[in-house]
């Protein structure tokens, strides 16, 4: 017993040491074993995708890789592989590792030692942890997975024992188990008893019974023998006894060896070996998955092979554990790696005597694109590495050795018997190349030529023996008639048969003017003028069927003549109902047709009068010579409060109509509101002021026509009485009483109009000119839309007269760039040098 306790203490001590060692390994993965030369292109692509998804910069990834043990040589090789593969695949996003540059600013700042030492830099610490975690994920893709390891590291998997099962008959009873006795039949009694540390239970009126170490079946027999003297029916069969386990006890199990988290674990007494392995994280990177030992009382009672469960679903030797059992995971003896075109590429553990076929079974077999005839193997010798090729016949005799790496390549991306035909053929595509296949036979396979096929010449693109391309021209018409030799096709020949439409410009005709849908239309032989108009949706109501003009290209013009004809023009009259006319004009390719507006056809034109008239609103122009005075009369004349000197006329000119003008005004209003409610720096404000002035000047410049309605009404029909045009808006305001002052004044505002005040007095009412005011360019916009600017007489400014309803605007002086200190020094030096030269010249002239 004493020796047993010493052995137990020794195992506990070794487990504690193993926990500390593994804790160090868990803190950071080791990538020192990564060999870039052994990686497949698939692994490199997966690495590139992971780096792209993580968002890590090249410098961050390099730093973490070096910290995790990856050598500088391997990092350089990895960079070259990524760059080469990125160019080969022409990827749009190349996740290349660039050379490290101390002065390069990356997208993230990696925390340095000073930041780690600063307790206030918690964000930097968290950021650094995140970078290391993402780099670990990306770099892990460069290492092959150990087959079976995911079973124990998957956080969603579980191996908890099912405690809601009937008590197994071979369950060994121990201390702290709860025993449920149920006596029924002629006699009835129930007992709920707990096994004492000494292994006994105390049944009332019966006494103490020792059942520790017995199975449930054996314990039932012993309890029944003790109860029979009291319950006579047990012997006769009239009374029955049921013995069950209630709450089961916990057992202590030691998991040691090459395990992720070695130590002593408390498990339910129904736990199996798999329960213990899952609780401890399973075998470590060096642990065996196929020789897991279960030791009980110093003897090895079973060996568990996890592959039996992973590959066959068998729980062979997954024995139920007992108190003080030891689960020992030794180091692996023989481990190989399978890469390439297999369904389950990974690192596999091999037992003695297992061949390549067994390894192929572990890897799930070949994929559909695997090259199975020859497998490449990298072996390790005592001094160096070597390559071995194994063929299909050697699969069942080749014995993998520890450290072997097997590469299953992909079949070639090429065809041994393919030809391609395209163009004016009914079924273009790829076809099987049979021995002796000719061009005419291939055309028959493709369901023949289309009607638009160009028969005079077809092309065969063929690969020469040195892999250059050769173009072979064939007269397809002669080959199909049999007057020329048929062409025997070869592998990867590409036949191209052009369409006659591919070899000429597409024929079009155009129509414009008074048709419903003007535009370009496909030309057709014998297309008449009437048919083209029908295609264009017919005439508009405003169209005339007379003098339709057709312009035709000239092909044989005299290029040397200055009066050479550039186009041939026809004028045709057709019927309004587009019935067949006597002209029956036939169009030619590229003809341009113009349908004219009917003479005397006029669309109603409207104007609007607003303000102080009897009947304001919209009016239609009745005749071409209708004037402003006529519109005022039609509106019932002026009201008593009408201010004719302030009447204005808005006439859209550069803008198409008044709706566009109003849109521009709305845009100006919104822009000013944003400018008013947003606080920006001085430069931004200047930019906004400039933008606002541009929009405002656009509106003002295109809107108003300066009129004098007082003179117009006094002498109607004269020169100032303008003819009305479509979209005109005549606005007659009430008597105006204010003057607006804006621009470069200290306090822009609106002041009451006083006839005795002059220009400068109104500016003074707004605080006076600002420092940046350009006084000589000040101007007034009068109520009727006319503008007068400041004139200059000698050194004095002659400001315009102010009228009621006017707006005074003071523009901003253009800012001049001040000379810098260097520019001042440069100019001064230049002037001094020039003075010295002049003095020198003067001295020479004396």
């Amino acid at each position: 017993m004493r020796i047993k306790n010493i052995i137990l203490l020794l195992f506990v001590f070794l487990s504690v040491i193993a926990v500390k060692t593994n804790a160090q390994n868990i803190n950071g993965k080791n990538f020192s074993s990564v060999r870039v030369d052994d990686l497949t292109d698939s692994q490199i692509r997966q690495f590139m995708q992971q780096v792209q998804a993580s968002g890590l910069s090249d410098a961050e990834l390099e730093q973490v890789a070096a910290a995790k043990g990856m050598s500088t040589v391997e990092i350089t090789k990895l960079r070259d592989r990524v760059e080469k593969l990125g160019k080969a695949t022409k990827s749009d996003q190349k996740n290349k590792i660039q050379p490290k540059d101390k002065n390069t600013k990356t997208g993230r700042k990696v925390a340095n030692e000073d930041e780690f030492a600063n307790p206030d830099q918690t964000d930097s610490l968290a950021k650094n942890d995140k970078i290391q975690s993402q780099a670990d994920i990306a770099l892990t893709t460069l290492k092959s997975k150990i087959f079976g390891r995911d079973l124990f590291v998957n956080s969603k998997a579980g191996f908890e024992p099912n405690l809601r099962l009937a008590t197994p008959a071979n369950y060994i009873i121990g201390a702290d188990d709860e025993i449920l006795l149920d006596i029924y039949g002629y006699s009835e009694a129930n007992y709920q008893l707990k096994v004492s540390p000494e292994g006994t239970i105390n049944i009332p009126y019966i006494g103490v019974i020792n059942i520790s170490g017995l199975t449930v079946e054996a314990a039932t027999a012993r309890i029944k023998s003790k109860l029979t003297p009291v319950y006579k029916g047990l012997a006769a069969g009239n009374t029955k006894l049921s013995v069950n386990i209630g709450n089961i006890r916990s057992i202590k199990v030691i998991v040691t060896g090459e395990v992720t988290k070695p130590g002593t674990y408390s498990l339910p007494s129904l736990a199996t070996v798999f329960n213990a392995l899952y609780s401890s994280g399973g075998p470590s990177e060096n642990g065996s998955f196929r020789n897991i030992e279960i030791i009980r009382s110093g003897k090895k009672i079973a060996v568990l092979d996890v592959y039996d469960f992973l590959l066959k679903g068998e729980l062979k030797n997954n024995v139920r554990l007992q108190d003080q059992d030891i689960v020992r995971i030794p180091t692996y003896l023989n481990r190989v790696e399978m890469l390439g075109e297999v369904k389950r590429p990974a690192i596999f553990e091999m037992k003695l005597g297992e061949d390549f076929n067994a390894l192929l079974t572990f890897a799930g077999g070949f994929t559909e694109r695997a090259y199975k005839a020859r497998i490449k193997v990298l072996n390790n010798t005592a001094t160096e590495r070597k390559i071995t090729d194994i063929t299909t016949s050697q699969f069942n005799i080749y014995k993998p050795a520890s450290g072997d790496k097997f590469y299953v390549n992909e079949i070639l991306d090429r065809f041994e018997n393919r030809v391609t035909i395209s163009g004016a053929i009914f079924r273009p595509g790829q076809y099987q190349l049979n021995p002796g296949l000719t061009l005419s036979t291939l055309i028959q396979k493709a369901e023949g030529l289309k009607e638009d096929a160009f028969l005079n010449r077809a092309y065969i693109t063929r690969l020469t023996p040195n892999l250059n391309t050769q173009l072979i021209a064939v007269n397809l018409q002669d080959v199909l008639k049999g007057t020329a030799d048929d062409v025997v096709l070869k592998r990867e020949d590409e036949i191209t048969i052009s369409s006659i439409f591919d070899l000429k410009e597409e024929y079009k005709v155009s129509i414009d003017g008074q048709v419903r849908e003007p535009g370009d239309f496909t030309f057709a032989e014998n297309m008449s003028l009437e048919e083209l108009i029908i295609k264009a949706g017919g005439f508009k109501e405003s169209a005339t069927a007379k003098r339709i003009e057709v312009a035709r290209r000239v092909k044989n013009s005299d290029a040397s003549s200055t009066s050479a004809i550039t186009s041939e023009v026809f004028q045709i009259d057709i019927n309004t109902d587009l019935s067949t006319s006597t002209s029956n004009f036939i169009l030619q390719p590229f003809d341009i047709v113009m349908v004219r507006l009917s003479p005397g056809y006029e669309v109603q034109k409207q104007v609007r009068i607003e303000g102080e008239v009897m009947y304001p609103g919209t009016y239609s122009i009745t005749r071409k010579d209708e004037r402003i005075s006529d519109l005022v009369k039609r509106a019932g004349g002026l009201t008593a409060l009408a201010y004719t000197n302030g009447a204005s006329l808005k006439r859209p000119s550069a803008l198409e109509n008044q709706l566009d003008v109003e849109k521009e005004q709305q845009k100006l209003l919104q822009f000013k509101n944003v400018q008013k409610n947003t606080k920006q720096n001085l430069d931004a404000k200047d930019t906004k002021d400039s933008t606002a002035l541009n929009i405002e000047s656009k509106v003002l410049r295109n809107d108003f026509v300066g009129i004098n309605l007082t003179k117009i009404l006094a002498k109607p029909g004269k020169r100032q009485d303008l003819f009305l045009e479509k979209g005109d808006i005549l606005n007659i305001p009430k008597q105006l009483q204010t003057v607006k002052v804006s621009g470069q004044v200290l306090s822009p505002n609106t002041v009451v109009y006083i006839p005795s005040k002059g220009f400068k007095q109104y500016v003074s009412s707004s605080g006076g000119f600002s420092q940046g005011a350009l006084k000589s360019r000040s101007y007034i916009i009068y109520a009727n839309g006319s503008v007068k600017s400041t004139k200059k007489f000698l050194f004095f400014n002659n400001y315009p007269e102010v009228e009621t309803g006017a707006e005074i605007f003071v523009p901003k002086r253009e800012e001049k760039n001040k000379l810098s200190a260097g520019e001042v020094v440069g100019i001064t030096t230049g002037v001094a040098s020039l003075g010295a030269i002049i003095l020198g010249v003067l001295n020479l002239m004396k």
Side-chain angles (χ1 to χ4, degrees), residues 145-146 148-160 260-261 274 277-283 289 309-310:
K145 293 182 179 179
I146 299 174
R149 186 159 174 76
D150 288 345
L151 181 66
F152 302 106
V153 299
N154 187 356
S155 59
K156 296 182 180 180
F159 284 97
E160 290 81 5
T260 303
K261 295 181 288 185
F274 267 113
L277 290 175
Y278 181 75
S279 298
S280 61
F289 283 77
F309 173 72
L310 294 173

Side-chain angles (χ1 to χ4, degrees), residues 716-765:
K718 298 299 181 180
R719 185 175 181 180
Q720 290 188 356
D721 193 3
L722 302 179
F723 294 118
L724 294 176
E725 294 186 7
K726 179 182 177 181
D728 281 355
I729 299 177
L730 180 62
N731 184 20
I732 304 172
K734 288 183 181 180
Q735 182 69 38
L736 301 175
Q737 298 174 313
T738 59
V739 174
K740 184 178 180 181
V741 183
S742 59
Q744 296 300 311
V745 292
L746 294 178
S747 179
N749 62 0
T750 301
V751 297
V752 176
Y753 172 73
I754 299 175
S756 60
K757 280 188 176 182
F759 185 97
K760 297 184 71 173
Q761 290 174 305
Y762 282 105
V763 173
S764 297
S765 300

Side-chain angles (χ1 to χ4, degrees), residues 81 181 275 351 356 359 396 410 453 473 562 635 656 699 701 756 759 772 812 826 832 835:
R81 282 285 300 275
L181 301 182
N275 303 135
K351 287 186 176 181
F356 178 78
L359 175 61
N396 59 347
E410 190 178 18
T562 57
E656 290 185 0
V699 174
R701 183 173 60 248
S756 60
F759 185 97
K812 184 179 180 180

